[in-house]
């Protein structure tokens, strides 16, 4: 009888242990399910599920961008137009962060294409500033053009946070000018400055929390280009950076000089090019004719000299062919 009771007790313990193991297995399958690789659909695209980093990016940055666009609309004009490019930049980067959460890191050759929409928005914001330098809102336009470069952190490693902070400081140079100009006359400008800088501050906090050493990709994810087609985030071709403007030559902005003035200036530069030879025709002065050594000569106001005619100066060597003057940058001076 005792053996039967012991056997029943042992069977109950086994059943409880089996039930407990089944519960643990069910919980583990639920927790590991989001980490499964992204599944490709029948048309070759990749289903993109938002990662925690992407959800936090939207939660933290989207309200600030919307508030900035609203503040810009109160000012209106070019400021409002430029804010639309900031809105486009946020949308493009949000999609890019979603890609990183569900896709493998793309090759260096693929990255420019995937960044095309962000580059286009940044360049549009800068082009609007460059095309409207006479505007009374040029400081506003410059602040945005300097600050939006902070969104380039997605291509910076291993120190994206300092990069964001550096771009924020560049923007602050112009926002300080905005405050000095408009603080007393337009409260909308003060609100606009706060809205702009809050984007960069929160962006640095977000990057520090989720992408401390660079944008984090999913090593178990799918192909980034295929997923980008689903999001409509990739451009057909990478956006090329416009060439830097060349410095104007010294003769572009100067009016044409007359023939007499040109020859005189050419002779002057020709003498300067002779170096030490320019002084060969000067006569040596005797110490008795130097006023700083003979106070009596200064009192009389005249200098006694030889009655004889001074010897003729030797013929100066032929001056080299005159060359047109040019302006060059040597170290930090023109």
């Amino acid at each position: 009888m005792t053996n039967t009771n012991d056997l029943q007790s042992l069977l109950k313990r086994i059943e409880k242990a089996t039930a407990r193991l089944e519960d643990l297995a069910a919980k583990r399958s639920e927790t590991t399910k989001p980490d499964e690789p992204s599944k490709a659909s029948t048309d070759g695209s990749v289903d993109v599920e938002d990662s925690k980093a992407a959800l936090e990016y939207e939660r933290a940055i989207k309200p600030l961008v919307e508030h900035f666009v609203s503040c810009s609309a109160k000012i209106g004009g070019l400021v409002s137009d430029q804010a639309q490019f900031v809105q486009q930049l946020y949308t493009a980067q949000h999609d890019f962060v979603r890609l990183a959460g569900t896709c493998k890191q793309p090759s260096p050759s693929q990255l420019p294409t995937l960044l095309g929409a962000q580059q286009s928005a940044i360049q549009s914001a800068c082009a609007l500033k460059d095309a409207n330098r006479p505007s009374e809102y040029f400081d506003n336009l410059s602040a945005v053009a300097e600050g939006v470069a902070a969104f380039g952190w997605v291509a910076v490693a291993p120190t994206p946070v300092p990069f964001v902070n550096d771009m924020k400081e560049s923007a602050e140079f112009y926002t300080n000018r905005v405050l000095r100009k408009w603080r007393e006359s337009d409260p909308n400008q003060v609100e606009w400055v706060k809205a702009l800088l809050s984007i960069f501050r929160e962006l640095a906090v977000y990057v520090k929390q989720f992408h401390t050493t660079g944008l984090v990709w999913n090593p178990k994810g799918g192909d980034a280009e295929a997923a980008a087609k689903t999001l409509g985030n990739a451009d057909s071709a990478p956006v090329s950076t416009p060439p830097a403007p060349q410095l104007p030559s010294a003769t572009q902005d100067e009016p044409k000089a007359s023939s007499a003035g040109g020859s005189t200036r050419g002779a002057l530069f020709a003498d300067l090019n002779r170096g030490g030879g320019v002084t060969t025709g000067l006569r040596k002065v005797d110490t008795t004719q130097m006023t700083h050594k003979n106070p009596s000569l200064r009192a009389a106001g005249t200098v006694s000299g030889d009655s004889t005619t001074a010897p003729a100066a030797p013929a100066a060597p032929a001056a080299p062919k005159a060359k047109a003057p040019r302006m060059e940058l040597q170290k930090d001076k023109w």
Side-chain angles (χ1 to χ4, degrees):
M1 189 69 179
T2 304
N3 293 335
T4 303
N5 293 336
D6 292 342
L7 182 59
Q8 291 179 350
S9 176
L10 180 61
L11 291 174
K12 289 181 179 180
R13 291 173 60 185
I14 293 174
E15 290 176 357
K16 290 181 180 179
T18 303
R20 194 173 300 173
L21 289 174
E22 290 176 351
D23 292 340
L24 291 175
K27 291 181 180 180
R28 180 172 298 178
S29 63
E30 292 177 357
T31 56
T32 56
K33 192 174 183 179
D35 295 333
E36 293 178 356
S38 301
K39 296 181 180 180
S41 61
T42 55
D43 60 355
S45 62
V46 178
D47 295 331
V48 178
E49 297 180 0
D50 287 347
S51 62
K52 183 179 179 180
L55 293 173
E56 181 63 21
Y57 183 89
E58 181 178 11
R59 186 202 67 79
I61 308 301
K62 183 178 180 180
L64 300 179
V65 173
E66 291 177 345
H67 179 56
F68 170 72
V69 172
S70 176
C71 293
S72 300
K74 294 179 182 178
I75 300 175
L78 295 172
V79 176
S80 180
D81 294 341
Q82 193 183 45
Q84 298 304 316
F85 296 126
V86 178
Q87 178 72 61
Q88 295 174 15
L89 176 58
Y90 159 76
T91 302
Q93 185 156 107
H94 178 225
D95 289 343
F96 191 73
V97 173
R98 293 177 65 193
L99 286 180
T102 56
C103 300
K104 298 178 182 178
Q105 185 171 3
S107 64
S109 61
Q110 294 175 324
L111 195 58
T113 301
L114 297 173
L115 291 172
Q118 298 177 61
Q119 292 177 351
S120 177
I122 292 175
Q123 290 176 1
S124 297
C126 295
L128 183 65
K129 180 262 296 185
D130 293 334
N132 295 276
R133 292 182 177 275
S135 172
E136 62 177 334
Y137 299 121
F138 180 71
D139 290 332
N140 300 70
L141 303 178
S142 299
V144 175
E146 292 291 331
V148 292
F151 284 85
W153 68 269
V154 292
V156 176
T159 56
V161 179
F163 175 80
V164 174
N165 290 329
D166 288 344
M167 298 304 103
K168 170 180 165 291
E169 292 177 359
S170 298
E172 284 179 334
F173 174 81
Y174 291 99
T175 56
N176 290 337
R177 298 176 65 171
V178 171
L179 292 176
R180 285 196 297 268
K181 183 177 181 180
W182 300 100
R183 188 192 302 272
E184 303 298 332
S185 59
D186 191 352
N188 290 331
Q189 290 279 1
V190 179
E191 185 181 4
W192 181 90
V193 168
K194 293 179 180 178
L196 176 64
L197 296 181
S198 67
I199 295 175
F200 306 134
R201 280 194 294 267
E202 191 62 30
L203 184 62
V205 173
Y206 166 80
V207 174
K208 183 177 181 180
Q209 181 178 357
F210 291 94
H211 309 278
T212 308
T213 58
L215 183 64
V216 178
W217 295 85
N218 186 352
K220 298 181 180 180
D223 181 70
E225 282 191 329
K229 293 177 181 178
T230 304
L231 294 173
N233 187 46
D235 292 344
S236 59
V239 179
S240 58
T241 304
Q246 297 181 351
L247 290 173
S249 62
T251 58
Q252 283 182 348
D253 298 331
E254 295 179 357
K256 294 183 179 180
S258 62
S259 58
S263 60
T264 303
R265 186 171 55 182
L268 172 61
F269 278 94
D271 287 338
L272 293 177
N273 290 333
R274 290 167 55 190
V278 74
T279 61
T280 55
L282 298 179
R283 179 173 61 88
K284 185 175 181 181
V285 180
D286 188 74
T287 55
T288 59
Q289 298 175 326
M290 298 179 181
T291 56
H292 66 284
K293 292 187 177 181
N294 296 279
S296 58
L297 295 178
R298 291 199 300 270
T302 58
V303 179
S304 60
D306 297 336
S307 57
T308 59
T309 304
K321 184 178 180 181
K323 297 181 180 179
R326 62 180 182 179
M327 182 180 294
E328 292 183 347
L329 181 63
Q330 298 180 352
K331 293 185 178 180
D332 58 346
K333 295 182 180 180
W334 286 99

